[in-house]
Amino acid sequence: MSLKSIIQDMRGEFGSISRKGFEVKFVSGMRSRSHRVVQDSSAVATIDALKQSCWVNLPPELLRDVLIRIDTSEDTWPPRKNVVACAGVCRNWREIMKEIVKSPEVSGKLTFPISLKQPGPRDSLLQCFIKRNRSSQIYYLYLGLNQASTDDGKFLLAARKCRRPTHTDYIISLNSDDVSKGSSTYVGKLRSNFLGTKFTIFDAQPPHAGVKVTKCRSTRLINRQVTPKVPPGNYSIAHISYELNVLGSRGPRRMHCVMDAIPNSAVEPGGVAPTQTEFLLGSVDSFPSLPFFRSKSIRTDSFRSGHSSVPSEGMLVLRNKAPRWHEQLQCWCLNFNGRVTVASVKNFQLVASPDNGVAGPEHENVILQFGKVGKDVFTMDYQYPISAFQAFAICLSSFDTKIACE
């Protein structure tokens, strides 16, 4: 029996059971008490169908082997959705998949939503791209499925620009149709000052144990809109600053990023960055199609890190790599290895700053690069020790209007 036929068989059996379960729930919501006997018999029939499935009594060793083969064979999107489907079958399968599926740092793959909060691969850049919708002021992050960034990729995150009298917010969500702070899919935000020269990245949940929540108006708003079981978000995890261009000279922007949640030792060989392992969501209705991420309580052991907080030696500081002036082209140039094709003041590459005390090849290793490839289409490539969420927020700061930096 081939692996493809196994997956199709699994889909058919559990899909039919899921549809029966949905019908039972729908009927129970529409009928009166006099029909409860019929409802109960339907529920029993669904349970019996599940018990009769050939996958229920599968030996654990054989089940684990099948799931490992699925994880290995379905290594790219869209086929990798089968891995996500397996994690949503039941609690037993979910626990096995949690052990099998590795973090992006090890596998170089983005599988579950929590992967967006975990550091990228160590030895290569994870290639993504951003599409901008000017009319709705929404930015969409996709995982690149091929070298053509203009093709449809795997959707990852969405951000909506919200202008305020004194600042600008970029609300970041896992749901492209509901980009709001009151949503259960809200994961964080980027906030700028009035001039667009200083930005702060906020995470909706603590990046590591011991971090303190930032009190602000939006935090109080979230507490009123979301169930109290959800941790009160707005944990400051990074600060971005652009140098003022007082003289108005032409040239690339100069930016610095202070990663509050990442120690500067993370860019050294063997360095460790905090890694989140699950979303802290209190509502059982959150992510109904991905029960793999439901959490019944807020646990401090949900964060896997070698440190309880950022070490005392300092935080990781990133700076943009200085471009060189090309005499023939009469422009500033950076080597994006073919990933950027259109000249723009927004293009940049971030490397570890000398302030970290980093020496050797790690100093010039590109951690994040961002650049334009077409109208409203930009590439975003990142790697360890930052996550897709952090990289996306940093790139959003480049879109914001900078009155004093142009």
Side-chain angles (χ1 to χ4, degrees), residues 243-382:
E243 291 187 12
L244 297 175
N245 188 1
V246 180
L247 301 179
S249 58
R250 299 185 64 183
R253 297 170 177 171
R254 297 181 180 179
M255 59 186 297
H256 285 78
C257 300
V258 180
M259 311 303 295
D260 301 352
I262 304 177
N264 56 22
S265 60
V267 294
E268 300 175 0
V272 177
T275 302
Q276 300 181 19
T277 58
E278 68 177 6
F279 284 107
L280 299 183
L281 296 175
S283 174
V284 295
D285 295 326
S286 301
F287 297 108
S289 61
L290 295 178
F292 176 74
F293 297 105
R294 294 175 185 169
S295 177
K296 294 183 178 180
S297 61
I298 300 174
R299 302 188 299 271
T300 56
D301 61 353
S302 297
F303 307 98
R304 177 170 53 83
S305 172
H307 309 276
S308 59
S309 61
V310 175
S312 58
E313 63 260 24
M315 306 170 185
L316 176 64
V317 180
L318 305 177
R319 64 166 179 84
N320 65 310
K321 191 174 183 178
R324 60 179 180 84
W325 178 257
H326 198 289
E327 288 293 343
Q328 294 181 342
L329 298 178
Q330 290 294 300
C331 64
W332 297 96
C333 295
L334 279 171
N335 183 14
F336 288 93
N337 295 310
R339 289 285 292 163
V340 178
T341 57
V342 180
S344 173
V345 70
K346 297 179 176 64
N347 301 348
F348 66 82
Q349 289 180 326
L350 290 185
V351 297
S353 172
D355 298 339
N356 296 311
V358 179
E362 295 85 5
H363 178 61
E364 292 299 321
N365 189 29
V366 175
I367 296 175
L368 169 64
Q369 67 178 19
F370 171 78
K372 191 172 184 179
V373 293
K375 185 179 180 181
D376 298 323
V377 180
F378 304 79
T379 57
M380 186 199 86
D381 305 336
Y382 75 99

